[in-house]
Amino acid sequence: AEGDADKGEKVFKKCKACHAVGEDAKNKVGPVLNGIVGSPAGANPDFKYSDAMTEMAAEGLVWDEESLTAFLTKPKDFMKGTKMSFAGLRKEADTENVIAYLSTFN
Ligand code: HEM
């Protein structure tokens, strides 16, 4: 199903403590997420990722709809050892919508 970017902007409030998007975005606790949809994981040269992220990136992880959905639903199940301290989005619609919102920064 197609996500709704406007609804996703509201969902992104849950991410904002740690992530920024948009023109003057800077890395915070988590990396800037501009262009993340469709991109290789762990590819921000100015961000220090966990070993878990670095390993999955080396194995070829790309943030497509499927992998983002899995990661955002249960980060620590999808990526054992990730330093993203976020319980996960429980509603499938929230995940779809936040991915649609992130896609507007590609
Ligand atoms: C990593 C999305 C919430 C901290 C990431 C990545 C994505 C993402 C796509 C991978 C980035 C990359 O490969 O460059 C989101 C979304 C969130 C959210 C959409 C809300 C639904 C949070 C929160 C925190 C956080 C609340 C802090 C408490 C981090 C950290 C990483 C990360 C530290 C790096 C993980 C590692 O190296 O293992 N996030 N995130 N995120 N995020 Fe989040």
Side-chain angles (χ1 to χ4, degrees), residues 42-95:
N44 184 322
D46 302 317
F47 187 82
K48 177 112 176 66
Y49 293 98
S50 64
D51 291 346
M53 181 75 78
T54 304
E55 277 162 28
M56 286 185 81
E59 286 162 8
L61 177 61
V62 170
W63 291 127
D64 58 18
E65 186 100 23
E66 192 183 341
S67 59
L68 272 175
T69 299
F71 182 56
L72 296 178
T73 303
K74 282 200 166 184
K76 288 179 195 290
D77 282 5
F78 180 75
M79 185 179 286
K80 301 259 184 296
T82 181
K83 64 177 185 178
M84 175 153 130
S85 298
F86 179 66
L89 295 171
R90 288 185 304 147
K91 294 183 194 150
E92 201 177 314
D94 283 356
T95 308

Side-chain angles (χ1 to χ4, degrees), residues 1-4 65 92 96-97:
E2 284 296 296
D4 177 324
E65 186 100 23
E92 201 177 314
E96 282 176 6
N97 293 339

